Amino acid sequence: LPLWWTTTRVYRAELPVTEIADFALDQVVPFTFYIDAPTDVAVGNIERMAQKLIDEQRTSSKDCRVRYTAQVRHKTTVPDAPGHYTLRVSEAAVDAVDFDVGRTAHVSVSESNSKKRDAVVAKLVADIVAKEERELKEKKSARRALKYAPEYSVTFTLLNEDPVGGAAVTWDIEQAADLFVRPFADTLRPLAKLSVSTQILHHAGPPPVTPLTRDNGTYLTPDMLPHFANSPWWNLASTDPIAPTISFILYVPALRSQPLRIEGSSTNAFVVSQWGGIAIANLPEAGASVVISRDELQKYFGIFIAQLRELVGIRNYTPLTPSRRVSLQRATATGISAWELDALMRQWMVANHQTAITTLQSLVRLVESMENMVVMDEIKTQVDQSLFALRSIPQALSRGNQL
């Protein structure tokens, strides 16, 4: 009997079932604000008022798994890291705030009374924190954005609909990609890598959909766009079989269809959720051979960068929505500001934290439901490593380390 038992039993490495079951999805994410003011400010009072306002702005505490909190400090040495922000407070005729592309906000306060001034700063802190927490729970961008991945394969394609009856079209893509895409990719690199590739495709088949005709050209309606993007004739194979692919197409329509417009679109481009984006390029003049120069590509890559921001989950109007007294400086050099990068990092961090816990708990339920399932030591090692990483998150956040 002992020999029979040894030679027939299924090997199952023991998993830390209890520890996995006890892991909660709750998470506290702190923001730290450093006040730089000409006169002394009561940072403790500002922090208490701000946190009270944040709690009041929560629509409900039920099922509130993720809570953003605010810490307020005097300005000393401010870490150049996500989650650490400087508020430079000065007196002015009207209350206003200007967010630069770094992690600094210039706050103008009309109140000379210290208590009223502190209340203005506390409300600003609360509005910043509460807005991001609210948007995280609403998941407005989740439908269009891809899920987090450590690397994305980004492909830019020049697609010529009619190379036989039209012009032979090429583009100065290497210079354009280096000038317009690399700054964005370099800024995003601490969170995810963008692997960029390019190609030219000659369609030479029937159009994906037949555009409608107008006196001065043709056009596509919004209802036609999904069929236009999913043409089976387009060979958009990715160069990376593992990383999620984001496809961008510069579509040159046949001369007979030009100018081709998208009804209701000011950019003549559109985004395909969790897939990529398409921009239509009508040639300024017909010819046997056309080269789209780097300068001509600038407007299209401006569109592609805006689409790429949306597809990776970057929210516009971060940290606050612009208004008469709120202004945001645009990160024209890189395509993403430090405020936006930090918000994206926290969004991915929260999502990965919750996904890791639910995946481990699902694994435990699967193993317990199948008594004959083999559980190798390698699986246990990976589970232990995941638990170690999950345990380190609260410690890192408490030290102000969000990256």
Side-chain angles (χ1 to χ4, degrees):
L1 184 61
L3 179 61
W4 171 84
W5 174 257
T6 302
T7 55
T8 59
R9 71 187 179 98
V10 174
Y11 181 78
R12 292 165 66 91
E14 187 174 354
L15 300 178
V17 175
T18 303
E19 185 176 1
I20 293 174
D22 291 341
F23 251 106
L25 296 175
D26 303 78
Q27 198 171 12
V28 177
V29 182
F31 288 58
T32 305
F33 295 89
Y34 300 84
I35 309 299
D36 182 7
T39 58
D40 193 26
V41 293
V43 294
N45 189 37
I46 294 175
E47 182 175 313
R48 285 189 295 272
M49 288 190 294
Q51 193 56 56
K52 181 180 178 182
L53 291 170
I54 294 170
D55 295 337
E56 289 174 352
Q57 290 192 47
R58 289 195 177 101
T59 55
S60 173
S61 59
K62 184 179 180 181
D63 297 329
C64 186
R65 295 295 190 180
V66 181
R67 289 177 177 266
Y68 284 7
T69 62
Q71 301 172 351
V72 182
R73 304 285 186 266
H74 288 291
K75 183 180 182 298
T76 52
T77 302
V78 181
D80 184 16
H84 298 267
Y85 307 101
T86 299
L87 303 182
R88 290 181 178 162
V89 182
S90 60
E91 291 187 12
V94 295
D95 294 341
V97 58
D98 177 34
F99 295 94
D100 65 17
V101 297
R103 296 184 174 93
T104 300
H106 302 271
V107 186
S108 301
V109 181
S110 60
E111 297 288 351
S112 57
N113 181 282
S114 61
K115 289 185 178 180
K116 292 182 178 180
R117 178 199 58 199
D118 292 352
V120 171
V121 175
K123 185 178 185 307
L124 173 63
V125 169
D127 288 346
I128 293 172
V129 176
K131 178 178 181 291
E132 186 174 323
E133 180 185 299
R134 184 170 58 252
E135 290 179 341
L136 178 73
K137 295 170 185 174
E138 291 173 353
K139 299 180 179 179
K140 289 182 178 179
S141 62
R143 292 188 297 272
R144 285 201 167 187
L146 285 83
K147 292 184 178 180
Y148 169 78
E151 182 176 356
Y152 297 95
S153 176
V154 181
T155 302
F156 294 95
T157 301
L158 174 63
L159 200 157
N160 188 3
E161 179 188 339
D162 186 14
V164 177
V169 184
T170 59
W171 56 351
D172 291 335
I173 186 60
E174 291 186 7
Q175 295 183 36
D178 186 67
L179 183 61
F180 305 126
V181 181
R182 178 175 290 183
F184 182 89
D186 290 345
T187 306
L188 192 66
R189 187 175 294 274
L191 305 184
K193 178 183 178 182
L194 299 183
S195 299
V196 178
S197 60
T198 65
Q199 61 181 344
I200 297 178
L201 293 182
H202 302 291
H203 188 221
V209 294
T210 302
L212 303 177
T213 303
R214 280 181 178 158
D215 294 339
N216 57 346
T218 60
Y219 69 98
L220 300 170
T221 64
D223 293 340
M224 300 167 70
L225 299 182
H227 307 286
F228 185 88
N230 294 321
S231 171
W233 296 91
W234 297 354
N235 180 19
L236 300 175
S238 170
T239 57
D240 190 328
I242 299 177
T245 299
I246 304 177
S247 298
F248 294 102
I249 296 176
L250 185 60
Y251 184 85
V252 179
L255 292 177
R256 63 181 178 276
S257 300
Q258 294 190 31
L260 174 62
R261 304 291 181 189
I262 298 175
E263 190 175 49
S265 173
S266 59
T267 60
N268 217 29
F270 63 98
V271 175
V272 182
S273 299
Q274 300 182 9
W275 183 84
I278 297 177
I280 297 175
N282 293 299
L283 299 179
E285 57 185 28
S289 179
V290 176
V291 178
I292 306 177
S293 68
R294 184 194 67 181
D295 293 339
E296 292 171 327
L297 287 172
Q298 182 175 0
K299 66 177 181 179
Y300 298 112
F301 272 85
I303 295 170
F304 290 148
I305 292 297
Q307 294 174 339
L308 181 57
R309 284 166 50 91
E310 187 174 357
L311 289 164
V312 299
I314 297 173
R315 296 185 178 93
N316 292 326
Y317 307 140
T318 299
L320 290 180
T321 303
S323 65
R324 185 167 57 90
R325 296 187 177 181
V326 176
S327 59
L328 306 178
Q329 295 182 22
R330 297 180 61 185
T332 55
T334 61
I336 178 172
S337 71
W339 295 92
E340 293 169 331
L341 184 69
D342 292 0
L344 179 63
M345 181 217 61
R346 286 186 288 268
Q347 175 184 326
W348 281 348
M349 176 185 67
V350 169
N352 290 343
H353 175 265
Q354 295 180 345
T355 299
I357 293 175
T358 55
T359 300
L360 289 173
Q361 292 175 345
S362 298
L363 174 63
V364 167
R365 289 193 295 270
L366 177 64
V367 171
E368 289 181 336
S369 67
M370 301 178 65
E371 296 181 356
N372 293 327
M373 180 179 178
V374 176
V375 181
M376 303 302 294
D377 289 332
E378 182 181 355
I379 299 299
K380 183 181 185 308
T381 299
Q382 294 182 5
V383 168
D384 291 339
Q385 291 173 347
S386 298
L387 289 175
F388 176 80
L390 287 170
R391 285 192 298 266
S392 67
I393 291 176
Q395 300 172 6
L397 290 176
S398 66
R399 296 192 302 267
N401 180 13
Q402 294 186 1
L403 188 57

